[in-house]
Amino acid sequence: MTIVAALPTQRRRRPELAAFLRSRRARVTPEDVGMPPGLRRRTPGLRREEVAQLSGVGVTWYTWLEQGRPINASAQVLDAVARTLRLDRPEREHLYHLAEVPYAPDRPAPDIPEVSPEIQGILDALDPLPAVLYNARYDVLATNVLYERLLMQNGEGLDTGPFGIRNVLWALFSVPAPKCPVVDRKRELPLMVAQLRGAYGRHVGEPDWEEFVRRLTETSPEFARLWRSGDVVPPGTRVKTFRHELVGEVRMTSVSLSVNGMPECRIVTYTPSDEESHRGIEILREAKGDRTKDPAP
């Protein structure tokens, strides 16, 4: 006991850190993080290389961390590892203490790109076409009036949800199917999740992305199932059918346009694909009332 007490604090914490990481890794299954289980899996939970990949760190670095070697870890990297291992707040704080990194429980929200007046002017000028500015995670950064009216259901706009900004995926997956403005959910939602998955590959381990996927997975079994499929598709032009309480169903062709100076952001416009849909959009355009919400809450 005297010998243990004489050891430097760091040398005593490192074995604790190693044991803690191994125990947390063992309880997270591949299915929990949207990965296929694979065959001949001897390790309970995730493998070290899988934790490293999902956290966006090197395999050797994570292995050394889990072996208790005296390496330095930044708060950003520990956040990524904590999210991959699904640590709650007490566990996260414990991880920080063992790694000897100051714990900051309230981290600032991720930066949202500022929408210039010129971009908003382009969206407004696209009237009578509904138009929206998305980022790669389907956050709604800016809209025009027709987009707001098209996505309204029962007098309400898109729900902000738990992320502090309106998000189309959250709005579609967190509502019952009868209230979803997208008619063909079985075709459209898998495509949207596959597109999100393609963007996620550029952001693996980033705290805000990992939290976004985690919250959606916990909220929607449908999203969790689609996420586990691992499908990836790029953005593309296609026909979507929306339902609206005022005009019924409208069929719209979506077109994505990239925006210079705003990486991974795109303007999406919706053009009526038949005369009936064109008349429905005209009715929405002439309807009284302005936007129910600001474009970017």
Side-chain angles (χ1 to χ4, degrees):
M1 189 68 179
T2 303
I3 295 176
V4 173
L7 289 174
T9 301
Q10 184 182 50
R11 290 180 57 190
R12 290 177 15 217
R13 285 180 175 171
R14 289 294 171 172
E16 290 292 331
L17 174 62
F20 179 68
L21 288 172
R22 286 194 297 269
S23 68
R24 301 306 90 176
R25 174 167 61 86
R27 73 180 184 180
V28 182
T29 67
E31 291 89 344
D32 290 335
V33 294
M35 300 178 67
L39 301 175
R40 301 178 181 176
R41 181 174 286 271
R42 300 176 182 175
T43 304
L46 296 177
R47 299 186 178 99
R48 284 174 176 170
E49 57 267 28
E50 291 169 340
V51 175
Q53 176 187 355
L54 291 169
S55 303
V57 300
V59 176
T60 300
W61 185 92
Y62 179 77
T63 300
W64 287 357
L65 182 69
E66 196 174 287
Q67 289 175 343
R69 298 198 187 189
I71 60 174
N72 294 324
S74 67
Q76 182 179 6
V77 169
L78 289 180
D79 273 345
V81 171
R83 291 178 187 277
T84 298
L85 297 180
R86 300 192 161 200
L87 304 186
D88 58 23
R89 176 168 288 194
E91 291 172 328
R92 184 188 299 265
E93 185 173 0
H94 184 59
L95 172 66
Y96 270 70
H97 289 330
L98 292 178
E100 298 184 288
V101 174
Y103 178 65
D106 297 317
R107 300 196 176 280
D111 291 334
I112 301 298
E114 182 177 351
V115 179
S116 68
E118 291 77 14
I119 295 297
Q120 184 63 58
I122 291 172
L123 294 172
D124 293 337
L126 286 168
D127 181 284
L129 301 181
V132 58
L133 176 66
Y134 293 135
N135 62 12
R137 207 171 52 207
Y138 282 99
D139 292 329
V140 179
L141 305 181
T143 71
N144 65 10
V145 172
L146 261 296
Y147 178 89
E148 296 285 332
R149 292 179 182 171
L150 178 62
L151 270 292
M152 282 178 62
Q153 293 293 308
N154 300 316
E156 298 180 358
L158 291 175
D159 184 13
T160 300
F163 306 108
I165 183 171
R166 289 185 292 168
N167 181 276
V168 169
L169 286 174
W170 178 264
L172 297 183
F173 279 103
S174 64
V175 299
K179 292 186 177 181
C180 180
V182 175
V183 173
D184 193 354
R185 288 174 60 100
K186 291 184 178 180
R187 183 176 74 94
E188 288 300 326
L189 296 192
L191 289 173
M192 295 179 73
V193 174
Q195 190 169 316
L196 177 75
R197 187 92 196 200
Y200 171 78
R202 299 186 293 271
H203 299 275
V204 172
E206 294 182 13
D208 54 318
W209 275 79
E210 299 296 344
E211 178 71 5
F212 177 78
V213 172
R214 183 185 69 81
R215 294 291 291 272
L216 262 180
T217 299
E218 292 177 350
T219 299
S220 170
E222 184 179 12
F223 176 85
R225 175 179 59 82
L226 294 173
W227 188 255
R228 285 195 299 269
S229 72
D231 292 340
V232 175
V233 299
T237 299
R238 58 182 183 270
V239 177
K240 298 183 179 182
T241 302
F242 297 93
R243 65 166 63 92
H244 193 281
E245 58 186 349
L246 182 62
V247 299
E249 293 186 1
V250 290
R251 288 154 294 282
M252 310 291 287
T253 300
S254 66
V255 178
S256 295
L257 309 170
S258 61
V259 182
N260 288 338
M262 299 186 73
E264 298 190 345
C265 292
R266 64 195 187 279
I267 291 176
V268 179
T269 63
Y270 297 91
T271 303
S273 60
D274 53 47
E275 284 301 318
E276 183 180 359
S277 299
H278 180 77
R279 288 193 294 271
I281 292 300
E282 282 299 313
I283 292 173
L284 287 180
R285 187 188 185 200
E286 295 170 3
K288 294 182 180 180
D290 296 319
R291 320 169 179 245
T292 59
K293 294 184 178 182
D294 292 335

